Every structure is written in structure tokens, then in C-alpha cells.
Amino acid sequence: MRKNRVMLLLLFLLAACGQGVRLPVPQDTSDIVTLPPPPTHTPIPTEIPTREDASGIGVAFFKAWEYSDLLGMYSLLAPQSQAVVNSTAFVSRYQEAMDTATVRAVYSQMLSATQEGNQAEMAVRVTWQTNAVGDIVRDLTVPLVYDNGRWGIIWDEGLILPELAGGNRLVLDDRLPARANIYDVQGRALAYQGTMIGLGVIPGQIQDEPGLLNTLSPILNKTPEEIKESYAAALPNWYVPIGDVPEAVMQQYVNTLQPYIGQGLAEPKPRLARIFSETGAAPHLVGHTGFIPAEVVETYKAQGYRGDEQVGLDGIELWGEDYLNGVRGGTLTVIGPNGEFVATVAEAAPKQARSIYTTLDLDLQTAVEQILANAIDTFPVDTAGAAIVMDVNTGKILAMASYPDFDPTIYDAARPDAPVALGQVYSDPARPLLNRATQGQYPAGSLFKVVTFTAAMNSGLYTPSSAYYSSGTWSRLGENFVKVDWLQGGHGTVSYQAAITVSCNSCFYDAAFEMNNVNPNHFPDIAKQFGLGQPTGIIGVAEAPGTIPSPTWKEETLGEVWLPGDAVNMGIGQGYVQVTPLQIVTIFSAIANGGTLYQPTLVDRLGAGGGAPEEPFPVQVNGEIPISANDLAALRQGLYDVTHSGRGTATFIFDGLSVPVAGKTGTAEDPPRTTHAWFAGYAPAGPYTKPDGTTVNEPEIAVVVIVENAGEGSGVAAPIVRQIIERYFGITPLTPLPW
């Protein structure tokens, strides 16, 4: 028995040794040895991320919100939250809430953070800046969990806004202030928000057609035949719109129209609309409103618009949108899943919009438009043009006209014939939508000689009394490039001051040639100091910069080398020279006022509103024309003699005018077409007693007129300028136009 126990023990020990177990030293005993248990593997505990890691995820979540990175926010949700809401629904929920509340910016601030094991919690303050109800501030408690090797946000809708938990929604009852008006300098409306009355007929109900048509004709400013034609093809029971009239006009004719209502004339339909002055004055300047274009709707929404409003799309309506639109208000409420009211989140009253008072004088603006239109309509050939009147001491635009023009109501989408009328204007080859006063770019012709004169005086090569002999031809570029003066046989010996008066081309060819020989950049640099080749900075309307060529310009633009001929052509405002009428009137204003180039302005002041007082618009200076007092005096005398001396190119036009005028004629080549006709000047150019007995000793206004492809400036543009000056100074009747 003892032998068997020993054999079992040996077998066990051999097995244990085979398994690599360290055995104790054998003892001399007959007892069975008890072995210690083998060692066991104890796992190392998982390290829980630090508190900074958890709060960092929370901070990143709200920073992503601040940057409108909604998908980035979604990526930071805990897996269990992502299982409940997909990314599309998540983004949509946030976007819906922010759009409804008109949120323009989100800001967040972490207040505190705690962490225990794989759970964390962060307190954060979120501020919504909204356009409709001001700031909305909420303190949120944000739970986080560590799962699948990362921290994540445990999300519900209360993290958008606490009131939205449980499927609630936001509703905004927004209140928009009425769009403000645009006035002339004296407060007479150029564009205002009012009621338009739509008139229409039902052909089958007409009982006294002649009476109805004759009654409607003066109201709609249409002939009876034109009105009848609008419904001639309609079925008897159709409603056919025939025109719109402002509420004030409707009130004037209401008693006359009353008998026809229900007897063929349908019940008038009032609607809110943008209404213009009776003459539709200054359409290029006032601009128009319309629905927000699709390509910029998101930009407007970011500013708090819903996207379906009408906004300024051109002119002062566009520039002044932030003033004319006011500040919206509203009440932001929460409704439950079944549409029941839950709570009011915030509310704010709208702030009144601010009207814009322009520098325009409505009477003068209307008169200048009529003078220009009459001149062009009666001219022997089809043409177009522009006219500007500027206050020489401030740069304020008193009148600005471009013709052909257009009826501003064509942009009213509710106007019955708006699509047809707008299509006709867009397709008109005369381009009536182009504001030729600021966007038309033309060679300056002899108007540019005031710049050449100044550059010549600045070069040190000439004085106003420097003499030049004009033979009628100029050939210093070579026999193949002989230039002919406008006066056959030339002007003889003239000073540079007299050359302005007689508009001697060869005199200014020669000056440009000599200046270019000394320094090719001198002449272009002086022209740029006059403000040419760059925008004037006028606000409210689009403008073209024009072109002043130079060696660098030609190389960069055309890839060609500057030649002496380029400078020679520029000497009389030809070649590559391009100017706008606005630039020219600014230059002649500077000559009149002693040298100051004012920034042209159309805005006189902003009206009171939204808690802000009435605010005058500042007069701004663009610089000084680079001319000495002595040279300026000589230049002014030369311009005075243009209209007063026997050799002046426009004396025959201004003869007998009681207001002394100084100015310059211009006949600009536009091959192969007829030349453009220019005249620019200022008045009074000497003491003048007005009809009311007051005496004016200094210039008040500068005037420029261009008539496209109409011939000579003296015979076409100068007579129009005379009429404008007569109208400004109250001289009647206006001198008839030569044609």
C-alpha cells in the first residue's frame, strides 16, 4: 500500500515538472506534499480620459456651431445619439430653428465642467444674435459619455434651445417697418411707399363703352383706342387689368369713375407698391426695388431677411437698403408638436426706417430731363446724351439726366403689362437703362485741352503767354502722319491761353509732343491728378472709370510700346482717352471753385429714424487739380473768352445771355460715326444780379452736356447748356434751339 502511494506521487511530480512548475525541495516524509496554486493573470485597469479631453469635445461642439459647421457638430455626438437622429435631420433641425429666429451669429462660453469615470457634464452659455428679436441667451447643461474610445455629446433638441425639448418648434411673427422714402433736397418725394389702385374691366358687362373709355383715358394716360385694344381679345366674363394709378390720382377721379363700377369697370384693387414722382424723375438715380435675386438670397438671409422680401436692386434704392429697410422686429414663440402655444422666447419692436434726402432739386431735375429729351427728340438724326448740373462749392449733384430714359414702374411685377414693358426696354437698341452721365465713356475731344494746358504749365516748358504759330497743319510725327487743325489755314500766332479760347489743335499737339520727349509719364500723371482714369467715388449709382493711357497702361493692356503719337492724340482728348460726363463736370467745378476736386454726391442727408437723428451727409474732397493760382487765372480767362470774345468757339451761342458763362466746346471723333458734341462750363463766370435782386460774384454751378454722334459741340451741346443755365437762373423764355 505504501509502495502504491509513492508511485502515484512520482507520477504527479513528473507531470508537474513537465508543465514547468517549480517544486519545493523533497522532504524525507511519508506525507503527501501540498503544492502552492499556480499564479493567475490580473488585467490592468483601463485608463479613463482626463477631464480636459471631455470638455474639449464640448467646446469643439459649440465652436463648430459658431462657424455654422453643423455636420462637424453631428460628428461629435455620442454613438447612441447618432443612432437616434441622422445627420440630415440634425442639420435640418438646427437650420430651421436658426432661420426662424433670424439668427445671424452664435456665441458660446463654457461656464464649468465635471467628470467622473466615463461620464462628464459641461455647463455652457449660448447667445443667439438675431435680427428680429435681439439677443437670446440660454445656459445649457451638456452631458457627455466616453464610448468606443472617444467622448461624445449626449444630444436632444433642448441643446438647440431648452424650450425646444420634446419636439417643440419656433414660430416668428415678424413685423417689418414700412420702407422709407427717397426725397429731393427739399423733401419732395422721388420714390415712396404707397397704395396703387389696379383698374380692370369685364368686357361683357360694359354698357357705355365710349363713356367708360373717355373717362379712363386721362386717368391712365392712354388713348381710348389703346385701352380698348387691351381687352379686345378677351372673353366676355374675363377680368382684364388695364392699368394702375396711385391712390392720390384715384381719389381725384373717384366720383367720375363711380358710375362705371359694376357696369364694365371692375371693383378697384388696392395694393402696396413703390410709387414715384408724377414725372418719374431721375429713374437712373433713384433705382428700383424687386424680389431678391436667387444668386444672392442666401446673403440676404444671413442679414436677417426671410428671402421673399422686395429690396433695392439699383441706384439709391440699392445703396440705401440698410437705411430704407429699417430694423425688423417680431415675437418669437414656441409651439408644441400639436401646434399649441408653449412659451414666448423673445420679442422686439421694429425700428423705423430712415428716409434718404438726395441733393437733387426735383424742379430742376425735371426741367433738365425735359430740355435734354426735347433737344434729342427734335434733333434731325437719332441720338442720345446726358446732362449734369453740379454745385461747384460742394460737389452736390443738383440734376443729372440721361436720355433715352425709362418709366421706373416697369419694374413693378404687379403692373399688368410689366413683362412686356420691361422686355421692350431691355431690347431697345438705344439702351435706355444705361446711365450715360456716369457709365457712358467717351473720348473727351477738346474738353481735354484744359488738362493738356495744365500739364504743359507744370512741365516748366511753357507759360500761359508762350506763343505758338498755327499754320493749319502739324507734321512733327512725320510726313505720313500730318494732322490738320479744325480751322483751315490755322489760327496764326496764339498764346496757350488763347489756344484754349480758339481751341487750336496743333498748339496742343505740339505741347503733348514736347512733354512726351522730356518725360512720357508726365502728361498721363497730370491727367490722373484731375481724377481721370478712375472712379469719382460717387455713391448711389454705378460709374465707369474711363481710361487715361500711359506707357505702362499700353504695355500691360495692349502689349504694345508707347509711341509719341499716343501722347499727341491725348493732347486733344483722342486716342485711347475715355472719360465720363461726371468726371468732366467735376473737373470744371474744380476750375470754377479755385482748384478743389469734390467727390460728387447724390445724398444730402439721412432722415431721422430708428432712434437716430437726422444726419447730414459729409462733403468730401478727392484732391486738388495740380495748377498754380496764376495759371488757373489764365485758364479761367481763356474759358471765359470761349463764350465772350470774337474768336471764342461758342460766343455766338451765349451772345446776349445775362448770366456770364465760361466753358469749353468739344467735338470728339468717334469713327466711323459722326463726332460727339460736348460742352462743359460754369456760371456765373463774373458778377451777376439775379431776378430777385441778389448779386452773385462767384460761380455756383458747373454744367456738362454730351450728345452722341451729333456733330460739333458749339452747335449742338452748347445751346442745350444755355437752356439749362437759363432755367437754373430763372431766365424765361428759354432760347430756342438752333434746329
PDB file of all heavy atoms in Angstrom, residues 687-700:
ATOM      1  N   PRO A 687     -19.630 138.756 -61.991  1.00  0.00           N
ATOM      2  CA  PRO A 687     -20.752 139.274 -61.198  1.00  0.00           C
ATOM      3  C   PRO A 687     -22.068 139.183 -61.968  1.00  0.00           C
ATOM      4  O   PRO A 687     -22.140 139.480 -63.156  1.00  0.00           O
ATOM      5  CB  PRO A 687     -20.356 140.736 -60.947  1.00  0.00           C
ATOM      6  CG  PRO A 687     -18.866 140.748 -61.071  1.00  0.00           C
ATOM      7  CD  PRO A 687     -18.550 139.741 -62.128  1.00  0.00           C
ATOM      8  N   TYR A 688     -23.112 138.757 -61.260  1.00  0.00           N
ATOM      9  CA  TYR A 688     -24.423 138.599 -61.890  1.00  0.00           C
ATOM     10  C   TYR A 688     -25.502 138.938 -60.876  1.00  0.00           C
ATOM     11  O   TYR A 688     -25.462 138.484 -59.723  1.00  0.00           O
ATOM     12  CB  TYR A 688     -24.614 137.164 -62.394  1.00  0.00           C
ATOM     13  CG  TYR A 688     -26.036 136.867 -62.803  1.00  0.00           C
ATOM     14  CD1 TYR A 688     -26.590 137.465 -63.933  1.00  0.00           C
ATOM     15  CD2 TYR A 688     -26.836 136.013 -62.055  1.00  0.00           C
ATOM     16  CE1 TYR A 688     -27.902 137.211 -64.313  1.00  0.00           C
ATOM     17  CE2 TYR A 688     -28.142 135.745 -62.425  1.00  0.00           C
ATOM     18  CZ  TYR A 688     -28.676 136.347 -63.550  1.00  0.00           C
ATOM     19  OH  TYR A 688     -29.974 136.101 -63.912  1.00  0.00           O
ATOM     20  N   THR A 689     -26.456 139.724 -61.284  1.00  0.00           N
ATOM     21  CA  THR A 689     -27.580 140.085 -60.427  1.00  0.00           C
ATOM     22  C   THR A 689     -28.781 139.243 -60.819  1.00  0.00           C
ATOM     23  O   THR A 689     -29.264 139.309 -61.969  1.00  0.00           O
ATOM     24  CB  THR A 689     -27.922 141.575 -60.560  1.00  0.00           C
ATOM     25  OG1 THR A 689     -26.774 142.348 -60.193  1.00  0.00           O
ATOM     26  CG2 THR A 689     -29.077 141.938 -59.624  1.00  0.00           C
ATOM     27  N   LYS A 690     -29.251 138.479 -59.877  1.00  0.00           N
ATOM     28  CA  LYS A 690     -30.379 137.592 -60.126  1.00  0.00           C
ATOM     29  C   LYS A 690     -31.684 138.390 -60.236  1.00  0.00           C
ATOM     30  O   LYS A 690     -31.740 139.554 -59.804  1.00  0.00           O
ATOM     31  CB  LYS A 690     -30.496 136.567 -58.992  1.00  0.00           C
ATOM     32  CG  LYS A 690     -29.354 135.569 -58.933  1.00  0.00           C
ATOM     33  CD  LYS A 690     -29.593 134.556 -57.815  1.00  0.00           C
ATOM     34  CE  LYS A 690     -28.508 133.499 -57.779  1.00  0.00           C
ATOM     35  NZ  LYS A 690     -28.726 132.482 -56.731  1.00  0.00           N
ATOM     36  N   PRO A 691     -32.718 137.760 -60.779  1.00  0.00           N
ATOM     37  CA  PRO A 691     -34.008 138.453 -60.879  1.00  0.00           C
ATOM     38  C   PRO A 691     -34.538 138.942 -59.539  1.00  0.00           C
ATOM     39  O   PRO A 691     -35.291 139.920 -59.498  1.00  0.00           O
ATOM     40  CB  PRO A 691     -34.925 137.381 -61.487  1.00  0.00           C
ATOM     41  CG  PRO A 691     -33.995 136.513 -62.278  1.00  0.00           C
ATOM     42  CD  PRO A 691     -32.732 136.467 -61.483  1.00  0.00           C
ATOM     43  N   ASP A 692     -34.169 138.290 -58.433  1.00  0.00           N
ATOM     44  CA  ASP A 692     -34.659 138.726 -57.119  1.00  0.00           C
ATOM     45  C   ASP A 692     -33.826 139.865 -56.532  1.00  0.00           C
ATOM     46  O   ASP A 692     -34.063 140.301 -55.406  1.00  0.00           O
ATOM     47  CB  ASP A 692     -34.693 137.552 -56.136  1.00  0.00           C
ATOM     48  CG  ASP A 692     -33.302 136.967 -55.880  1.00  0.00           C
ATOM     49  OD1 ASP A 692     -32.307 137.531 -56.364  1.00  0.00           O
ATOM     50  OD2 ASP A 692     -33.233 135.929 -55.193  1.00  0.00           O
ATOM     51  N   GLY A 693     -32.823 140.333 -57.293  1.00  0.00           N
ATOM     52  CA  GLY A 693     -32.036 141.467 -56.840  1.00  0.00           C
ATOM     53  C   GLY A 693     -30.737 141.114 -56.149  1.00  0.00           C
ATOM     54  O   GLY A 693     -29.903 141.993 -55.912  1.00  0.00           O
ATOM     55  N   THR A 694     -30.518 139.853 -55.821  1.00  0.00           N
ATOM     56  CA  THR A 694     -29.267 139.457 -55.162  1.00  0.00           C
ATOM     57  C   THR A 694     -28.161 139.344 -56.197  1.00  0.00           C
ATOM     58  O   THR A 694     -28.396 138.960 -57.344  1.00  0.00           O
ATOM     59  CB  THR A 694     -29.433 138.118 -54.426  1.00  0.00           C
ATOM     60  OG1 THR A 694     -29.817 137.112 -55.372  1.00  0.00           O
ATOM     61  CG2 THR A 694     -30.494 138.222 -53.345  1.00  0.00           C
ATOM     62  N   THR A 695     -26.953 139.696 -55.779  1.00  0.00           N
ATOM     63  CA  THR A 695     -25.802 139.668 -56.677  1.00  0.00           C
ATOM     64  C   THR A 695     -24.911 138.488 -56.344  1.00  0.00           C
ATOM     65  O   THR A 695     -24.602 138.228 -55.180  1.00  0.00           O
ATOM     66  CB  THR A 695     -24.991 140.968 -56.573  1.00  0.00           C
ATOM     67  OG1 THR A 695     -25.829 142.066 -56.953  1.00  0.00           O
ATOM     68  CG2 THR A 695     -23.781 140.929 -57.498  1.00  0.00           C
ATOM     69  N   VAL A 696     -24.516 137.759 -57.362  1.00  0.00           N
ATOM     70  CA  VAL A 696     -23.621 136.620 -57.223  1.00  0.00           C
ATOM     71  C   VAL A 696     -22.287 137.002 -57.841  1.00  0.00           C
ATOM     72  O   VAL A 696     -22.232 137.449 -58.997  1.00  0.00           O
ATOM     73  CB  VAL A 696     -24.191 135.371 -57.929  1.00  0.00           C
ATOM     74  CG1 VAL A 696     -23.253 134.195 -57.754  1.00  0.00           C
ATOM     75  CG2 VAL A 696     -25.569 135.036 -57.390  1.00  0.00           C
ATOM     76  N   ASN A 697     -21.221 136.846 -57.079  1.00  0.00           N
ATOM     77  CA  ASN A 697     -19.894 137.219 -57.569  1.00  0.00           C
ATOM     78  C   ASN A 697     -19.020 136.023 -57.914  1.00  0.00           C
ATOM     79  O   ASN A 697     -17.982 136.182 -58.570  1.00  0.00           O
ATOM     80  CB  ASN A 697     -19.174 138.080 -56.528  1.00  0.00           C
ATOM     81  CG  ASN A 697     -19.861 139.422 -56.332  1.00  0.00           C
ATOM     82  OD1 ASN A 697     -20.106 140.128 -57.296  1.00  0.00           O
ATOM     83  ND2 ASN A 697     -20.180 139.759 -55.090  1.00  0.00           N
ATOM     84  N   GLU A 698     -19.387 134.838 -57.452  1.00  0.00           N
ATOM     85  CA  GLU A 698     -18.588 133.644 -57.689  1.00  0.00           C
ATOM     86  C   GLU A 698     -19.444 132.585 -58.379  1.00  0.00           C
ATOM     87  O   GLU A 698     -20.671 132.570 -58.245  1.00  0.00           O
ATOM     88  CB  GLU A 698     -18.039 133.094 -56.373  1.00  0.00           C
ATOM     89  CG  GLU A 698     -17.102 134.037 -55.641  1.00  0.00           C
ATOM     90  CD  GLU A 698     -15.810 134.291 -56.407  1.00  0.00           C
ATOM     91  OE1 GLU A 698     -15.416 133.416 -57.218  1.00  0.00           O
ATOM     92  OE2 GLU A 698     -15.199 135.356 -56.202  1.00  0.00           O
ATOM     93  N   PRO A 699     -18.812 131.656 -59.091  1.00  0.00           N
ATOM     94  CA  PRO A 699     -19.564 130.590 -59.767  1.00  0.00           C
ATOM     95  C   PRO A 699     -20.382 129.749 -58.779  1.00  0.00           C
ATOM     96  O   PRO A 699     -19.940 129.488 -57.658  1.00  0.00           O
ATOM     97  CB  PRO A 699     -18.473 129.756 -60.427  1.00  0.00           C
ATOM     98  CG  PRO A 699     -17.312 130.686 -60.581  1.00  0.00           C
ATOM     99  CD  PRO A 699     -17.367 131.586 -59.387  1.00  0.00           C
ATOM    100  N   GLU A 700     -21.556 129.348 -59.218  1.00  0.00           N
ATOM    101  CA  GLU A 700     -22.435 128.490 -58.417  1.00  0.00           C
ATOM    102  C   GLU A 700     -22.523 127.082 -58.975  1.00  0.00           C
ATOM    103  O   GLU A 700     -22.492 126.115 -58.218  1.00  0.00           O
ATOM    104  CB  GLU A 700     -23.850 129.088 -58.346  1.00  0.00           C
ATOM    105  CG  GLU A 700     -23.981 130.305 -57.478  1.00  0.00           C
ATOM    106  CD  GLU A 700     -25.432 130.725 -57.310  1.00  0.00           C
ATOM    107  OE1 GLU A 700     -26.327 130.082 -57.920  1.00  0.00           O
ATOM    108  OE2 GLU A 700     -25.679 131.688 -56.572  1.00  0.00           O
TER     109      GLU A 700
END
